[in-house]
Amino acid sequence: MKNKKVYIIKASGKIEEYKPEKIYHSLIRTGVDESIARDIVSDVSKFVKNGMTTRHIYQHTIRLLRERKMSYAQKYTLREAIMRLGPEGYPFEHYFAKILEDYGYTVKTNRVIRGKCVSHEIDIVAVKDGKRYLIECKYHNNFGTKTDVKVALYVYARFLDLEEYFDRAWIATNTKLSLDAIDYAKCVNMKVTAWHYPYNESLEKLIERKKLYPVTILFDLNDEMKLRLLKSGIVFLREFVNTDHKLLSLILGISPREVRQIVGRARYLVEGY
Amino acid sequence: MKNKKVYIIKASGKIEEYKPEKIYHSLIRTGVDESIARDIVSDVSKFVKNGMTTRHIYQHTIRLLRERKMSYAQKYTLREAIMRLGPEGYPFEHYFAKILEDYGYTVKTNRVIRGKCVSHEIDIVAVKDGKRYLIECKYHNNFGTKTDVKVALYVYARFLDLEEYFDRAWIATNTKLSLDAIDYAKCVNMKVTAWHYPYNESLEKLIERKKLYPVTILFDLNDEMKLRLLKSGIVFLREFVNTDHKLLSLILGISPREVRQIVGRARYLVEGY
């Protein structure tokens, strides 16, 4: 590791000191073995130079991970895979609704419900154990954006207007939440699913716990192929590996032999290492 | 007037049929004499062609108005003058706070207040007759944008979080409000000041009733001169005409003779026709 301070550029445009610990922890969080994580961080630190973007560093990290273990790299790219779902491909609220179904919720997307004052379009209406949730999904295709307190405020006001139909408001987002958004949500008892928050119920934990990876996580497919899978209703990697190979060959426009290889690698990610 | 349908492009990009009545009513609302309004609309209708932008038509209307009576044209451009205040020049909330002061409110801008859940930055805190108002200002420098129901929702949630400090929430905007934003505001007893709404208390009515035109309405000054006036604290046209000519000459960088001419025309607009 270097001793000289190095400054890098974040997705938001802000400049911060390069801290190897950050990459180390993100690798550990992904499930990478400690010794491999140390190796990679050491390699990355040799590579990092003043003025480099975090994106550039991230891509280099992925490359190093891939050289060691493909499945690690794929898990590490989960966040990017979720971003690649939208905005034109597949609405984030549909993906999140599918995750909730897997957790035993009954869900309906894009419902218009008349409140005390006005009508509201609700991204997801979810029910579990007799509790009714009003879910607002916030998708950003930009790593630097945070979901801020204004979102939490308007979702809560919307919930109040629809109080007779719901027991709890819920924000689901693929980005981080601002600190006051978190404080506000806690204070008004709003449920939150965000990137890295809350610790044990964050978006990535919900996905990883049941291996609900989206097909966009596959390195082997190009964007057009991924889009065709999503449009065909094959959203989870799990659905992908369980789909008939002939059908996949038809959807993707590649040979059954190639399909078999890709499904093999995908199966590895879904079923464990 | 033409009998053939003509389609024009709005600021929002939407296409709609050209309707001469719309221009007629906007002129009458501005206070233009009926016969002059008819003349102008007839001239505009000859000029309008398929695919023209509303902006282009607006500029042509202004030109025709100026040919007839300068003061009419200036009043007609009030909306654009307000847009020219911001975003870099002079914050809309400061202009609106000055208007409120003229109506007997005590005002403070950009206050941070700790609510039950989180801290909020309030654009304007206004007090009148013992009632305390939380005012959120929404400025858009684009004719096509509407302030939507999400704004009304989050302002109301903010008000609820600060309920002990305020009696009523209030949205002030230089754009129109969406219909459900209006419905929601009515329903939760939120005060609203917007473009053309509410009829007798709209932003333009508040300005016109007391002739609180901003200096950006003056044709005779370029953008840099207007900015220098605003930075010097000369915001209302009324303040402009009451400022010492030598000082104005210094601020604007033009001769006292030119100042006298410009102030003369400005006085005409402030003091009546």
Side-chain angles (χ1 to χ4, degrees):
Chain A
M1 311 239 172
K2 296 171 181 181
N3 290 318
K4 228 180 68 191
K5 280 187 183 181
V6 175
Y7 293 92
I8 58 174
I9 303 164
K10 296 175 73 175
S12 62
K14 280 198 186 137
I15 289 169
E16 70 169 22
E17 197 188 327
Y18 165 69
K19 290 193 173 147
E21 314 86 80
K22 280 205 173 179
I23 294 181
Y24 178 77
H25 288 303
S26 75
L27 291 169
I28 294 296
R29 250 195 323 258
T30 311
V32 176
D33 290 341
E34 218 176 293
S35 65
I36 296 180
R38 274 183 201 285
D39 271 13
I40 287 176
V41 170
S42 155
D43 281 5
V44 171
S45 294
K46 279 174 209 148
F47 168 80
V48 171
K49 283 184 182 59
N50 261 329
M52 238 176 216
T53 61
T54 49
R55 169 140 199 100
H56 195 164
I57 297 165
Y58 169 81
Q59 280 167 339
H60 186 72
T61 309
I62 298 291
R63 218 170 298 132
L64 294 170
L65 261 178
R66 285 178 78 167
E67 285 167 14
R68 279 160 177 93
K69 205 169 175 184
M70 179 63 100
S71 61
Y72 278 166
Q74 288 187 309
K75 269 188 73 183
Y76 196 64
T77 53
L78 173 57
R79 188 168 178 188
E80 212 173 333
I82 293 168
M83 294 221 174
R84 252 185 267 127
L85 282 172
E88 280 99 33
Y90 187 80
F92 173 67
E93 59 261 38
H94 289 189
Y95 178 58
F96 192 66
K98 266 181 88 83
I99 292 173
L100 292 180
E101 276 188 315
D102 217 87
Y103 278 90
Y105 290 83
T106 307
V107 298
K108 278 170 191 157
T109 50
N110 303 108
R111 291 278 147 154
V112 174
I113 305 178
R114 170 91 210 154
K116 278 175 283 197
C117 291
V118 288
S119 291
H120 304 268
E121 196 180 322
I122 308 302
D123 290 338
I124 307 176
V125 173
V127 179
K128 189 179 178 181
D129 300 331
K131 290 230 171 193
R132 302 155 306 170
Y133 300 88
L134 175 167
I135 305 177
E136 177 91 5
C137 293
K138 277 283 148 192
Y139 164 86
H140 295 288
N141 58 346
N142 174 339
F143 282 105
T145 310
K146 277 187 180 175
T147 295
D148 74 356
V149 73
K150 283 182 187 175
V151 173
L153 286 162
Y154 86 66
V155 172
Y156 186 62
R158 185 169 270 178
F159 166 71
L160 291 180
D161 198 42
L162 292 164
E163 221 166 4
E164 56 176 313
Y165 301 106
F166 294 100
D167 299 293
R168 208 169 169 197
W170 186 343
I171 295 177
T173 174
N174 68 325
T175 68
K176 290 186 185 176
L177 280 180
S178 73
L179 279 180
D180 53 351
I182 289 177
D183 288 345
Y184 183 77
K186 266 188 201 157
C187 181
V188 297
N189 190 34
M190 192 185 297
K191 208 165 150 65
V192 163
T193 304
W195 197 255
H196 284 350
Y197 184 86
Y199 187 69
N200 263 317
E201 297 284 324
S202 64
L203 182 60
E204 72 271 29
K205 285 275 165 68
L206 290 182
I207 293 168
E208 281 163 5
R209 193 171 297 140
K210 294 197 167 214
K211 301 201 194 311
L212 303 175
Y213 303 114
V215 288
T216 46
I217 207 169
L218 284 170
F219 282 124
D220 303 298
L221 305 176
N222 64 30
D223 286 353
E224 206 200 310
M225 290 172 175
K226 286 170 186 171
L227 199 59
R228 270 187 258 142
L229 283 176
L230 293 168
K231 298 249 154 108
S232 311
I234 299 167
V235 178
F236 290 152
L237 210 55
R238 194 179 57 188
E239 295 167 318
F240 177 73
V241 303
N242 291 329
T243 301
D244 181 82
H245 287 197
K246 274 181 207 148
L247 182 57
L248 286 180
S249 160
L250 212 65
I251 294 171
L252 298 172
I254 55 177
S255 73
R257 197 173 143 268
E258 283 174 288
V259 166
R260 212 174 316 122
Q261 285 173 349
I262 296 171
V263 168
R265 284 194 285 271
R267 196 178 294 283
Y268 192 60
L269 183 62
V270 176
E271 293 174 1
Y273 314 92
Chain B
M1 310 241 172
K2 296 171 179 179
N3 290 317
K4 229 180 69 193
K5 280 189 182 180
V6 175
Y7 292 92
I8 58 175
I9 302 163
K10 296 175 72 174
S12 62
K14 280 197 187 138
I15 290 169
E16 71 170 20
E17 198 189 326
Y18 166 68
K19 290 194 174 145
E21 314 85 81
K22 279 206 175 179
I23 294 181
Y24 177 78
H25 289 303
S26 75
L27 291 168
I28 293 297
R29 253 196 319 260
T30 311
V32 176
D33 291 340
E34 218 178 291
S35 65
I36 297 181
R38 274 181 201 285
D39 269 13
I40 288 176
V41 170
S42 156
D43 281 5
V44 171
S45 294
K46 280 174 207 146
F47 168 81
V48 172
K49 285 186 183 54
N50 260 328
M52 237 175 217
T53 62
T54 49
R55 169 141 199 99
H56 195 165
I57 297 164
Y58 169 80
Q59 280 165 341
H60 186 71
T61 310
I62 297 290
R63 219 171 297 133
L64 294 170
L65 262 178
R66 285 178 78 168
E67 284 168 16
R68 278 159 178 94
K69 205 168 173 183
M70 178 63 102
S71 59
Y72 279 165
Q74 287 186 310
K75 271 187 72 183
Y76 196 64
T77 53
L78 174 58
R79 187 168 179 186
E80 212 173 333
I82 293 168
M83 293 219 175
R84 254 184 268 127
L85 283 172
E88 280 98 32
Y90 187 81
F92 173 66
E93 58 262 39
H94 288 189
Y95 177 58
F96 191 66
K98 266 181 88 79
I99 293 173
L100 291 180
E101 276 189 315
D102 217 87
Y103 278 90
Y105 289 84
T106 306
V107 297
K108 279 170 190 155
T109 51
N110 303 108
R111 293 276 146 155
V112 174
I113 305 178
R114 171 92 209 150
K116 278 174 283 198
C117 292
V118 288
S119 291
H120 304 269
E121 197 182 321
I122 307 302
D123 291 337
I124 307 177
V125 174
V127 180
K128 190 179 178 181
D129 301 331
K131 289 230 171 193
R132 303 155 304 170
Y133 299 89
L134 174 167
I135 305 177
E136 176 91 5
C137 293
K138 277 282 149 194
Y139 164 86
H140 295 288
N141 59 345
N142 175 338
F143 282 106
T145 310
K146 277 186 181 176
T147 295
D148 73 357
V149 73
K150 283 183 186 173
V151 173
L153 286 161
Y154 87 66
V155 172
Y156 186 63
R158 185 170 271 178
F159 165 71
L160 291 180
D161 198 42
L162 292 165
E163 222 167 3
E164 55 176 313
Y165 301 106
F166 294 100
D167 299 293
R168 208 170 167 196
W170 186 344
I171 295 177
T173 174
N174 69 326
T175 68
K176 291 185 185 178
L177 280 180
S178 73
L179 279 181
D180 53 351
I182 290 176
D183 287 345
Y184 182 77
K186 266 188 201 159
C187 181
V188 297
N189 190 33
M190 191 185 298
K191 209 165 148 62
V192 162
T193 304
W195 196 255
H196 285 349
Y197 184 86
Y199 187 69
N200 264 316
E201 297 284 322
S202 64
L203 182 60
E204 72 272 29
K205 284 274 165 69
L206 290 182
I207 293 168
E208 282 165 4
R209 193 172 295 140
K210 295 198 168 215
K211 301 199 194 310
L212 303 174
Y213 303 114
V215 288
T216 46
I217 207 171
L218 284 171
F219 282 125
D220 302 298
L221 306 176
N222 65 30
D223 286 352
E224 206 200 310
M225 290 173 176
K226 287 170 186 172
L227 198 59
R228 271 188 257 141
L229 284 176
L230 293 168
K231 297 249 155 106
S232 310
I234 299 167
V235 178
F236 290 151
L237 210 55
R238 195 180 56 190
E239 296 167 319
F240 177 73
V241 303
N242 291 328
T243 301
D244 181 81
H245 287 195
K246 275 182 206 145
L247 182 57
L248 285 181
S249 161
L250 212 66
I251 293 171
L252 299 173
I254 56 176
S255 73
R257 198 173 141 267
E258 283 174 288
V259 166
R260 212 174 316 122
Q261 285 173 346
I262 296 171
V263 168
R265 283 193 285 270
R267 196 178 293 282
Y268 192 60
L269 185 62
V270 175
E271 292 174 1
Y273 313 93

